[in-house]
């Protein structure tokens, strides 16, 4: 599977960005999807995940109430709407696929995801 992330950029604190991830190569609707981020000098961390139907979503505490993950299985895309951005949200954001089809419990663990996209830079100025 190939993933293409887009939508990053430079924004002031309090602003919004919308990240998109386009997937190809597999039956998209079979797989849970996730967004992760990696700040300079830090390890990659979980941000949000969504079940294959889109009915269940999961967020790290740091972004709850500010970020929304969604997906469109007809278009093979997953989106991360980011509002009320903070300087600490600055990172490269990656989308990824959990390669286990039809899983019931969506993982928030980095090790369960594969097929990483190239990442998109998000920079939030104070």
């Amino acid at each position: 599977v190939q993933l293409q992330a887009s939508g990053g950029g430079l924004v002031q604190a309090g602003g919004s960005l919308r990240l998109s991830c386009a997937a190809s190569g597999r039956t998209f609707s079979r797989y849970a999807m996730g967004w992760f981020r990696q700040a300079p000098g830090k390890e990659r961390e979980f941000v949000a995940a969504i079940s294959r139907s889109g009915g269940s979503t999961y967020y790290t505490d740091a972004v709850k109430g500010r970020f929304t993950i969604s997906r469109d299985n007809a278009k093979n895309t997953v989106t991360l709407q980011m509002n009320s951005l903070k300087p600490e949200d600055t990172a490269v954001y990656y989308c990824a696929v959990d390669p286990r089809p039809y899983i019931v419990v969506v993982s928030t663990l980095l090790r369960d995801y594969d097929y990483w996209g190239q990442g998109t830079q998000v920079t939030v100025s104070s």
Side-chain angles (χ1 to χ4, degrees):
V1 64
Q2 293 183 329
L3 301 174
Q4 182 74 34
S6 62
L10 173 64
V11 64
Q12 289 187 335
S16 298
L17 284 173
R18 185 177 180 89
L19 305 184
S20 291
C21 177
S24 62
R26 285 196 176 184
T27 305
F28 182 73
S29 60
R30 295 178 182 175
Y31 304 97
M33 299 288 295
W35 283 97
F36 295 77
R37 66 187 180 186
Q38 187 167 16
K42 296 187 177 181
E43 295 186 350
R44 194 170 298 188
E45 64 176 3
F46 169 77
V47 176
I50 188 166
S51 63
R52 57 188 185 90
S53 69
S56 297
T57 56
Y58 306 83
Y59 301 93
T60 190
D61 287 346
V63 309
K64 283 181 181 177
R66 301 188 297 121
F67 290 12
T68 303
I69 188 171
S70 61
R71 67 189 294 163
D72 184 338
N73 287 340
K75 296 182 178 180
N76 285 7
T77 59
V78 61
T79 299
L80 186 68
Q81 177 67 42
M82 306 187 296
N83 299 328
S84 302
L85 282 161
K86 303 176 181 180
E88 50 263 44
D89 295 318
T90 295
V92 178
Y93 283 71
Y94 300 88
C95 59
V97 177
D98 186 323
R100 300 168 294 170
Y102 305 115
I103 60 169
V104 175
V105 179
V106 176
S107 174
T108 62
L109 300 177
L110 182 70
R111 65 171 182 259
D112 287 333
Y113 285 80
D114 204 342
Y115 304 111
W116 299 88
Q118 86 287 358
T120 185
Q121 176 70 47
V122 171
T123 303
V124 185
S125 63
S126 58

